[in-house]
Amino acid sequence: MADVLMVVTGADRITLTDGTAHPTGFWAEELVELHRGLTAAGHRVDIATPGGRRPAVDPGSLDDTTTEGAALREYLDSIDAALGTPLDLSGIGDGDYDAIVLPGGHGPMADLATDEHLGRLLVDAVDRNAVVGVLCHGPAGLLSAVRSDGAFALAGRHLAVFTDEEERIGGLGERTPYLVESRLRELGVDVQSGAPWSSTVVADGSLISGQNPQSSVATAERIVQELARR
């Protein structure tokens, strides 16, 4: 059994290029499928946020009037105690966990991308070859993984991320404050994309990444497979 740290955004708003505040948070399907897949495989999952704030679900990701939305809500309700009392990222030590996973939603763009404590934990995880799993906009959190000399810890690695094309046609569009795929490419990441809304997972050793919500189940499965190899 592995100890897994699920780092979830604490942001419930993101400021768009026109200055408006757009409601956000974590994407329900992504958090649920990652959490479900990992715990079903017998792994222990702790949830952490910046400052230990209770994370908000992105309202665009959860429609309680649909069968799928009701099922997601039921699962979130079942882990409400953990969501309501998350760990504070600042209190987590290097090496405390076997894996770090980051679900998406636009929230990570607003806080995790610049969180120094997450950055420290990710650099440590990369250096000791611990499993790092990211999904959709979760890779925005990887932007924090900057070494003390200013070098990006994941330069040269291969991963999937919510693409610029997907952002333009089905995300925040031209009002997005930045494009995560483009930012990662600028830092030397080799982004490997599938078709928009396809289930696309990229495995680069201990770094496992999924492109979008449609990749949620497959990403969880691949992370579980990587943990089983250890």
Side-chain angles (χ1 to χ4, degrees):
M1 180 184 76
D3 291 326
V4 180
L5 182 68
M6 177 176 285
V7 181
V8 183
T9 178
D12 61 5
R13 295 287 188 277
I14 186 169
T15 303
L16 306 181
T17 55
D18 62 6
T20 59
H22 181 75
T24 189
F26 65 83
W27 201 258
E29 179 182 6
E30 295 166 19
L31 186 148
V32 166
E33 296 302 348
L34 288 173
H35 192 278
R36 186 187 348 243
L38 287 161
T39 56
H43 303 302
R44 185 173 70 87
V45 179
D46 288 339
I47 294 172
T49 64
R53 293 187 295 275
R54 182 187 179 100
V57 61
D58 189 308
S61 72
L62 194 60
D63 182 355
D64 292 338
T65 66
T66 68
T67 300
E68 180 182 356
L72 292 173
R73 173 66 72 185
E74 182 178 6
Y75 191 91
L76 291 174
D77 287 345
S78 75
I79 60 170
D80 187 68
L83 289 171
T85 56
L87 301 175
D88 185 336
L89 272 177
S90 67
I92 297 169
D94 295 351
D96 284 355
Y97 289 87
D98 303 302
I100 299 175
V101 297
L102 284 74
H106 285 97
M109 296 174 63
D111 60 354
L112 298 185
T114 57
D115 189 279
E116 63 178 320
H117 303 295
L118 175 59
R120 168 180 55 81
L121 293 170
L122 287 170
V123 170
D124 170 71
V126 169
D127 287 349
R128 60 188 173 87
N129 199 37
V131 174
V132 174
V134 291
L135 179 57
C136 196
H137 286 87
L142 300 180
L143 296 171
S144 67
V146 180
R147 300 186 184 278
S148 58
D149 63 359
F152 183 54
L154 291 152
R157 301 297 293 271
H158 313 293
L159 61 79
V161 60
F162 196 73
T163 65
D164 292 355
E165 182 181 7
E166 288 170 317
E167 193 70 73
R168 291 189 177 104
I169 64 177
L172 296 177
E174 297 305 319
R175 297 190 299 160
T176 186
Y178 61 91
L179 294 164
V180 181
E181 178 191 355
S182 288
R183 284 281 180 92
L184 289 167
R185 287 188 184 278
E186 290 165 2
L187 291 171
V189 171
D190 177 20
V191 176
Q192 300 182 349
S193 304
W197 322 121
S198 64
S199 177
T200 299
V201 178
V202 174
D204 180 2
S206 58
L207 176 62
I208 313 298
S209 53
Q211 181 170 312
N212 46 36
Q214 290 76 13
S215 310
S216 298
V217 172
T219 302
E221 290 173 346
R222 188 63 186 81
I223 293 170
V224 167
Q225 290 171 11
E226 181 61 26
L227 288 170
R229 291 196 321 106
R230 295 170 176 251

